[in-house]
Amino acid sequence: AAAEGPPAPPSPSARADFDATVASLAQERALRRALAGDEFALFLQPIVRLATGQLAGFEALIRWHDPERGLVSPASFIPAAEANGLILAVTAWVIGAIGRIVPRVLEAGLRAPASVEPSLFVSFNVTAQDLARSDICGLVDAMLRRTGIAPGALKLEITESALMQDPAGAAAALARCRAAGLGIAVDDFGTGYSSLSHLSTLPITTLKVDRAFVRAMLAEPRDRRIVQTILRLADEIGVVAVAEGIEGRAEAEALAAMGCALGQGYHFGRPMPEADALAAAAAWNAEAWRCGLSRGADQD
Ligand code: C2E
Ligand code: MG
Ligand code: MG
Ligand code: MG
């Protein structure tokens, strides 16, 4: 029989597991507090028509100001919320905020100068779990009826890799949203290993070219050809292309010359609070981007 003695110290890996569990519980508690309180904000990043420089719409991006830790990136807390089951509540918060903000954005578009398209759109991000486990279409539909927002003014963004987790489940939910009139964008396209056969069964209206390709395309002929191929694919299947992560004028001009319809990136404007986005729409200068002027507030 084993001799009695002091308990063995936990192994380093058990210790690491314990620490990770404590950290994720703390994260979950903080997220619950954020949902109950007033710690989230929805920022808006401009999306521009590359041929003319006109403002075409915005992507809504969540921001979490944790009173203890400061600004927490969605790239870390969205995956955490997917892991701890809080993502549906986060998305419900986003849909509520869309209902408050979008009517003002659309109104700004109608009153804005010719440098702004009269029918702006706003896109927002959803996850695979939102499509599989919640009635996202019902939630959005109730919000549309409450606010009077036209469904065509909204786009759902879902990453290519999330779509591929459960293509059949996603297809059913997306078909309902599309039938209700919403646009459907595949986000981070080119990094998620989707098969083209799946793509053809999904009711997609927009492909967003992942910023990894945009960042590399000027230096790397291969990346440039990948961008060209994605643009041709978008054209062939009759959807609009958006290039993400445009940080410089050279990329903006190259993409415009390649026929990419829409672009988004720090070059045009960072994600910004609602008031700044409305002011940007009112004073949007379609020529300014050609001069390399950058706007926005989200310094990260
Ligand atoms: P995403 O949907 O692909 O959003 C684009 C991300 O790229 C945003 O990061 C944006 O700030 C950043 N970005 C835009 N232009 C540039 C640029 O020129 N250069 C660089 N380096 N970055 C640029 P953000 O806001 O930190 O969001 C990260 C990701 O978190 C998003 O990627 C999206 O997957 C997720 N996310 C953000 N908000 C939400 C939300 O409300 N719901 C859900 N489910 N996910 C969200
Ligand atoms: Mg997105
Ligand atoms: Mg993206
Ligand atoms: Mg992304």
Side-chain angles (χ1 to χ4, degrees):
E4 291 290 318
S11 70
S13 82
R15 180 75 222 181
D17 287 351
F18 178 76
D19 288 350
T21 303
V22 169
S24 76
L25 284 173
Q27 169 93 306
E28 180 177 336
R29 186 159 5 91
L31 261 174
R32 285 187 192 283
R33 191 201 55 220
L35 281 161
D38 196 22
E39 299 176 21
F40 290 131
L42 209 53
F43 274 30
L44 298 168
Q45 185 177 30
I47 298 178
V48 171
R49 192 161 298 280
L50 290 172
T52 60
Q54 278 175 303
L55 181 66
F58 292 96
E59 177 174 4
L61 294 157
I62 196 169
R63 293 291 177 266
W64 177 13
H65 189 83
D66 181 328
E68 281 148 31
R69 290 176 297 169
L71 212 57
V72 186
S73 167
S76 85
F77 77 80
I78 293 291
E82 289 183 274
N84 64 28
L86 290 173
I87 188 63
L88 304 188
V90 172
T91 301
W93 183 90
V94 168
I95 291 170
I98 287 283
R100 291 188 296 276
I101 291 172
V102 170
R104 290 194 278 256
V105 172
L106 300 182
E107 208 226 337
L110 292 174
R111 286 186 292 106
S115 57
V116 176
E117 297 189 352
S119 49
L120 291 171
F121 68 84
V122 177
S123 66
F124 63 98
N125 296 278
V126 299
T127 66
Q129 280 187 56
D130 293 308
L131 298 182
R133 294 189 25 224
S134 77
D135 176 18
I136 186 94
C137 189
L139 272 178
V140 172
D141 205 54
M143 180 273 285
L144 292 174
R145 268 179 292 147
R146 201 172 61 242
T147 58
I149 298 171
L154 295 184
K155 253 186 225 191
L156 292 188
E157 295 197 7
I158 173 97
T159 64
E160 185 189 21
S161 49
L163 271 181
M164 289 308 118
Q165 284 169 30
D166 175 16
L174 292 178
R176 298 232 315 288
C177 294
R178 181 70 194 119
L182 272 76
I184 310 290
V186 182
D187 206 351
D188 301 354
F189 188 76
T191 60
Y193 312 104
S194 60
S195 78
L196 296 180
S197 68
H198 281 133
L199 212 55
S200 74
T201 66
L202 295 166
I204 296 164
T205 64
T206 305
L207 282 187
K208 299 192 76 174
V209 183
D210 192 80
R211 76 165 186 266
F213 304 116
V214 172
R215 190 196 300 128
M217 62 178 265
L218 292 183
E220 290 290 336
R222 268 174 71 104
D223 289 281
R224 190 188 174 90
R225 281 197 290 274
I226 289 173
V227 172
Q228 255 156 352
T229 303
I230 296 174
L231 296 179
R232 197 166 320 128
L233 172 65
D235 218 42
E236 292 288 339
I237 64 176
V239 306
V240 65
V242 182
E244 304 190 83
I246 300 176
E247 294 188 355
R249 177 177 163 187
E251 290 109 292
E253 287 177 347
L255 286 157
M258 288 158 81
C260 182
L262 301 174
Q264 171 181 2
Y266 296 166
H267 175 62
F268 302 112
R270 290 186 176 245
M272 56 187 99
E274 175 193 347
D276 293 359
L278 296 180
W284 190 261
N285 180 347
E287 290 304 310
W289 71 275
R290 297 178 201 280
C291 313
L293 204 86
S294 75
R295 308 170 195 73
D298 189 28
Q299 306 297 331
D300 52 15

